[in-house]
Amino acid sequence: MDFTFSKEHQLLRKTIREFVRREVAPIAAEIDEQERVPWETIRKAAKLGFLGVPFPQEYGGGGAGEIGYCIMAEEISRVCSSTMTILGAHIGIGTMAIYLDGTPEQKARYLPPLCRGEKLAAFALTEPQAGSDAARIRTRAVRDGNYFVLNGSKIWITNGSIADIFSVFAVTDPALGARGGVTAFIVEKSFPGFRVGTVDEKMGIRGSATAELIFEDCRVPAENVLGTFGAGFITALKTLDVGRVTIGAAALGGAEAALDAAVAYAVEREQFGQPIAQKQAIQFMIADMAAEIEALRSLVYRTAWMVDTHRPFSREAAMVKYFGSEVASRCVDRALEIHGSNGLLRGVAIERGYRDARISEIFEGTNEINRIVVATDIFRRVGVRINP
Amino acid sequence: MDFALTDEQLMFLDMFRDFARQEVAPLAEELDRQERPPLETIHKAAALDLLAIPFPEQYDGMNAGLLAYGLLMEELGKVCLATAVTVGAHCTAAMLIAAGGTEEQKQSLLPSLVKGHKIGAYAIVEPDAGSDLSGVATTARLDGNEYVLNGRKSHVVNGDFADLLVVLAQTERGPACFVVDKSSPGLVVGWRNKQMGLRGAAGCTIFLDGCRLAMSNRLGGEEQNGHDIIRRTWPFSRLGVAFACLGIAERGLADSVEFARNRQQFGGPIALKQIIQRYLADMATQIESLRHMAHYTAWLMEQGRSSERDIAMLKLWAGEVATWVINKTVQIHGGMGYIKSFHVERLYRDVRAMAIHEGTAELQRLAVAEDILAAVGVVTAP
């Protein structure tokens, strides 16, 4: 037993923290206000190898594993959820799908430029009528010689308007549905018939680009079938499992930032002749935040370790995702309360933190779906099948 | 990084689990109904050296570490929280001596406690001194070369059958801890509390009525501050409570799963209802977070790296998780969770103390907040 971070991971945290201080923090409020993608940050992060942090070095990755990736997610999210959302969609789901299930040729071709950050990735599963009920996607892929022809649309795709490579899920056999009838494809933005539709305006994570993708007779070479034909839904679930752990780590960073902001404010703000930090009502909110954050931290890194040591982790990933996002939401809410009306002012960090936090309870599997993942596993362990 | 239990810890876990299942579980209901302590269990535990787990070898301990001790409390907590609390009170009494005693006191007192030849208790709380230890009114007056203790202690777990009590009293020069043998004249055991839960580990009222002790009974000698000894022991006792909380919460979840898969309503098992699935998922998730926090904190303590804040957060979280999980356990069981002929109502009565004893949730919150604010240079008012 040893809960210490390795030397490499400690160094990684230091490096990322320094990067965040220099490059991310100064523009965090600005990219939110202007609703713009921080290209300068992405390019610098790519240069430092951050865009391939968890992946093996043979693909040009950082070899830091899920633990290293979680460290990065925690540190960046402390300061800017938008930036982490972009990196998360690129690394944790877009590229991850290719890494997990891609053929050796696909990995050799796509992973190095993605890991080096020369190209950006996105993950395209959700459709207008298929959110939590992802098995109901309708985007069709029909074989035509050496190609598949895709028709349909995807919505709420993070990095949708800025990515070069997409992991796209489409129906290849409507009769089979999610059980063998969905196939994953690697789609490049230059493929004919692919275009970006509406780019959404959002309450939070406004520096990240969320877009609609439209496929109109989009021709995808058959060699770009991601992994096994018909096994796309499994690829999607496996990928989301890993992504969820990182959502928890990002939520941890957001929660820590909220606590730090609450403490700093409570110390400065005077009411009734003393700093409000002297009031037990405030102290109790701060203590509850700290205790929940500590519980979350334990859960995040333990689960990341399970990923890295090849233990089964679906159940734990779901736990980390929904517990983490709710801890973060409670923390930003308490921190906002401590700030009083000042917390509602644009430009105050907690105002942005409060808006940014809310998405984590929704994306990469709503918390309702993640609870069902956990409950289903609980019953599976006692031999009962629920939610077939 | 390595989050796995060691082979030795896994071996102990097996042993604790067997013991809990065979010896502790069958008595749980009876202890509650008869409101009696699990004396036979304590002696069996002693025979297996289970009371020796966290103590150093030089005092006949197993030196198996704090996490192993936690695993013991977890397994006991799963089957009978009252037994866990009884064992915890005994071990904490021994740990007070280990933390505050002189080498001579440790050598003469610890082996018999560690081996379980004698049972320990600690008498700290009073009717007017709970969270606020400075309110202790029991006095220890020096009379020649003896201390004379006068006062009243409440909520003393194991108080009615312990052979040896660690007592906190005020001397003229500050607080001190004393080791009091049950045969000491002037030590009078009062009544056992009639309690909502933990009836097998009910606290007792103890009277000290001119109880005369040799000066050598003062823990750590004349200069040793009694509050300091108690504070040094809190991490240990609170860690035990946290693991016991983990145990009872796991029990609540397991029982709820079993009930939900069998209970038929609206034409099928209630396990198929999403509202029940949500409760179960939340229970499992909170339990998992508590487990890792408890393991991590025990590990920190073993490395000598834990802070007061680490312990306070764990104790706080443990109490919150356990009470919440058992509350939901009752809810899932519906009427079955409320009736005496089924054990769930006992879990509910038992668990409530976990957010109160060994430091209330409020005290833990204050400790955490105090530490956070101290880090930014703010001293909070007491």
Side-chain angles (χ1 to χ4, degrees):
Chain A
M1 206 171 225
D2 180 7
F3 289 81
T4 321
F5 285 104
S6 70
K7 286 267 182 308
E8 292 77 14
H9 284 141
Q10 290 178 34
L11 182 66
L12 178 68
R13 188 183 292 276
K14 221 177 127 196
T15 310
I16 290 171
R17 199 170 276 184
E18 182 57 23
F19 173 77
V20 167
R21 192 180 66 77
R22 277 192 202 198
E23 307 293 345
V24 182
I27 58 167
E30 177 192 318
I31 63 167
D32 171 68
E33 188 70 24
Q34 299 177 0
E35 210 165 1
R36 75 165 177 88
V37 172
W39 279 110
E40 62 271 49
T41 313
I42 295 170
R43 292 203 186 95
K44 285 172 191 155
K47 210 169 272 176
L48 290 167
F50 293 165
L51 269 63
V53 154
F55 302 110
Q57 284 163 349
E58 58 174 305
Y59 299 118
E66 184 63 20
I67 291 176
Y69 182 30
C70 283
I71 288 171
M72 184 171 92
E74 180 187 353
E75 292 300 330
I76 295 178
S77 296
R78 272 172 182 259
V79 170
C80 182
S81 295
S82 289
T83 302
M84 191 53 220
T85 300
I86 296 168
L87 298 186
H90 165 74
I91 300 169
I93 46 180
T95 306
M96 188 63 75
I98 300 173
Y99 171 67
L100 289 177
D101 276 353
T103 64
E105 295 74 30
Q106 289 165 348
K107 289 191 200 183
R109 178 168 171 206
Y110 287 107
L111 290 181
L114 289 170
C115 284
R116 288 195 298 264
E118 293 155 13
K119 301 238 161 114
L120 273 186
F123 177 91
L125 175 64
T126 298
E127 297 182 7
Q129 77 298 339
S132 288
D133 189 6
R136 295 291 167 92
I137 56 170
R138 287 185 201 156
T139 295
R140 274 286 268 147
V142 179
R143 182 128 198 168
D144 178 20
N146 283 335
Y147 286 85
F148 280 88
V149 179
L150 271 61
N151 277 290
S153 70
K154 299 284 177 183
I155 58 164
W156 301 330
I157 307 307
T158 305
N159 293 356
S161 55
I162 62 173
D164 308 283
I165 312 287
F166 299 82
S167 298
V168 177
F169 300 85
V171 178
T172 40
D173 186 342
L176 291 175
R179 295 200 171 92
V182 171
T183 299
F185 296 89
I186 302 172
V187 177
E188 299 183 22
K189 74 169 173 191
S190 58
F191 287 177
F194 169 84
R195 69 182 168 93
V196 175
T198 312
V199 180
D200 297 303
E201 289 182 30
K202 304 183 295 295
M203 170 169 78
I205 54 166
R206 288 158 56 92
S208 70
T210 308
E212 176 189 22
L213 308 181
I214 297 168
F215 303 88
E216 283 168 336
D217 291 331
C218 174
R219 294 182 74 77
V220 179
E223 70 214 38
N224 275 30
V225 166
L226 208 179
T228 310
F229 182 82
F233 201 66
I234 295 168
T235 298
L237 295 183
K238 270 162 64 179
T239 306
L240 288 171
D241 275 351
V242 185
R244 282 165 187 168
V245 181
T246 324
I247 301 282
L252 174 62
E256 288 169 320
L259 174 59
D260 290 348
V263 170
Y265 187 83
V267 167
E268 292 302 318
R269 170 74 171 171
E270 293 202 4
Q271 288 290 285
F272 307 106
Q274 58 183 177
I276 59 171
Q278 294 293 353
K279 302 291 174 198
Q280 289 198 347
I282 302 295
Q283 292 171 14
F284 284 176
M285 283 196 266
I286 285 172
D288 284 345
M289 291 161 81
E292 289 195 44
I293 286 170
E294 211 51 41
L296 173 58
R297 189 197 319 282
S298 291
L299 205 50
V300 165
Y301 286 105
R302 202 280 187 147
T303 308
W305 170 82
M306 292 172 82
V307 178
D308 286 343
T309 53
H310 313 292
R311 288 166 162 80
F313 66 92
S314 294
R315 164 192 172 116
E316 286 75 10
M319 288 177 165
V320 164
K321 194 277 180 182
Y322 87 73
F323 181 71
S325 56
E326 288 174 17
V327 166
S329 289
R330 282 194 291 273
C331 284
V332 292
D333 187 63
R334 291 188 192 113
L336 186 78
E337 186 68 27
I338 289 170
H339 279 74
S341 290
N342 288 329
L344 299 171
L345 300 177
R346 298 267 284 274
V348 174
I350 193 61
E351 184 270 342
R352 175 166 50 90
Y354 185 82
R355 285 184 289 107
D356 283 349
R358 191 62 180 82
I359 186 61
S360 293
E361 292 184 60
I362 299 170
F363 69 2
E364 294 207 25
T366 60
N367 285 8
E368 289 68 33
I369 289 298
N370 278 288
R371 283 187 164 88
I372 285 172
V373 169
V374 173
T376 305
D377 186 74
I378 289 172
F379 283 103
R380 187 187 57 76
R381 292 181 188 201
V382 295
V384 177
R385 213 164 145 227
I386 59 168
N387 308 316
Chain B
M1 253 190 176
D2 180 8
F3 289 80
L5 292 176
T6 65
D7 289 344
E8 189 190 76
Q9 286 161 346
L10 288 170
M11 186 199 74
F12 276 119
L13 183 59
D14 272 346
M15 181 179 164
F16 301 155
R17 204 167 273 170
D18 288 345
F19 179 76
R21 194 175 302 148
Q22 286 160 20
E23 306 292 348
V24 183
L27 280 177
E29 192 199 336
E30 182 182 319
L31 301 180
D32 179 62
R33 281 194 187 275
Q34 300 180 358
E35 308 199 25
R36 71 164 180 87
L39 286 177
E40 63 272 57
T41 314
I42 295 290
H43 292 130
K44 284 174 188 161
L48 291 169
D49 265 337
L50 297 187
L51 305 179
I53 296 296
F55 297 100
E57 276 166 15
Q58 65 195 106
Y59 308 115
D60 290 346
M62 300 282 282
N63 203 28
L66 294 170
L67 181 50
Y69 172 71
L71 297 174
L72 171 64
M73 295 301 279
E74 179 184 356
E75 292 306 315
L76 294 177
K78 272 184 196 170
V79 295
C80 178
L81 198 58
T83 301
V85 168
T86 302
V87 169
H90 167 80
C91 290
T92 299
M95 205 48 94
L96 281 160
I97 294 168
T102 61
E103 193 50 47
E104 204 182 338
Q105 287 169 330
K106 288 195 248 188
Q107 279 175 15
S108 73
L109 298 168
L110 275 181
S112 60
L113 288 170
V114 167
K115 281 284 174 194
H117 299 148
K118 287 188 174 174
I119 302 302
Y122 55 95
I124 295 174
V125 170
E126 298 184 2
D128 293 319
S131 290
D132 182 9
L133 280 187
S134 67
V136 162
T138 296
T139 57
R141 184 172 47 82
L142 206 49
D143 179 24
N145 54 3
E146 283 182 326
Y147 275 103
V148 184
L149 272 60
N150 280 291
R152 171 180 168 180
K153 294 289 175 181
S154 46
H155 303 301
V156 181
V157 176
N158 300 357
D160 48 346
F161 59 90
D163 303 291
L164 196 150
L165 292 93
V166 176
V167 176
L168 173 68
Q170 284 301 130
T171 72
E172 279 150 20
R173 291 171 51 228
C177 286
F178 296 90
V179 177
V180 184
D181 193 274
K182 78 165 168 193
S183 61
S184 306
L187 177 84
V188 180
V189 175
W191 55 89
R192 226 176 129 80
N193 287 346
K194 292 281 180 195
Q195 309 188 157
M196 173 169 75
L198 293 181
R199 293 179 179 181
C204 297
T205 296
I206 302 280
F207 295 94
L208 296 146
D209 181 14
C211 177
R212 300 187 81 85
L213 301 172
M215 284 175 75
S216 60
N217 284 42
R218 177 168 176 172
L219 267 187
E222 288 308 295
E223 298 308 315
Q224 179 64 60
N225 182 298
H227 289 178
D228 287 348
I229 301 175
I230 292 167
R231 280 197 201 97
R232 285 206 294 275
T233 312
W234 274 340
F236 175 79
S237 57
R238 289 173 182 176
L239 183 79
V241 170
F243 272 96
C245 283
L246 175 61
I248 193 170
E250 289 172 296
R251 168 68 177 282
L253 173 61
D255 289 351
S256 299
V257 169
E258 194 53 28
F259 186 81
R261 66 185 287 193
N262 292 315
R263 169 73 172 172
Q264 304 279 327
Q265 288 290 286
F266 307 105
I270 60 170
L272 296 181
K273 301 292 173 204
Q274 289 198 343
I275 186 71
I276 301 296
Q277 292 169 16
R278 183 200 167 136
Y279 289 158
L280 294 171
D282 286 357
M283 291 158 86
T285 299
Q286 294 207 11
I287 287 168
E288 223 43 37
S289 74
L290 173 57
R291 182 197 322 285
H292 302 315
M293 199 167 167
H295 284 204
Y296 173 60
T297 308
W299 176 83
L300 279 179
M301 285 169 67
E302 287 181 358
Q303 307 280 311
R305 285 163 52 185
S306 63
S307 66
E308 203 177 315
R309 169 173 166 177
D310 293 320
I311 311 293
M313 290 197 289
L314 174 64
K315 168 69 172 63
L316 169 61
W317 188 242
E320 300 280 307
V321 168
T323 49
W324 190 87
V325 165
I326 298 302
N327 187 20
K328 282 288 173 278
T329 302
V330 171
Q331 196 66 26
I332 290 169
H333 281 78
M336 281 297 283
Y338 204 74
I339 56 172
K340 281 272 176 190
S341 61
F342 200 61
H343 66 276
V344 166
E345 67 84 29
R346 171 167 54 80
L347 302 185
Y348 187 74
R349 287 185 288 107
D350 282 353
V351 78
R352 189 60 182 86
M354 296 297 101
I356 299 172
H357 95 162
E358 288 296 343
T360 60
E362 289 69 32
L363 270 193
Q364 310 310 319
R365 287 188 169 94
L366 283 178
V368 174
E370 198 180 289
D371 185 76
I372 291 173
L373 293 169
V376 292
V378 175
V379 179
T380 50

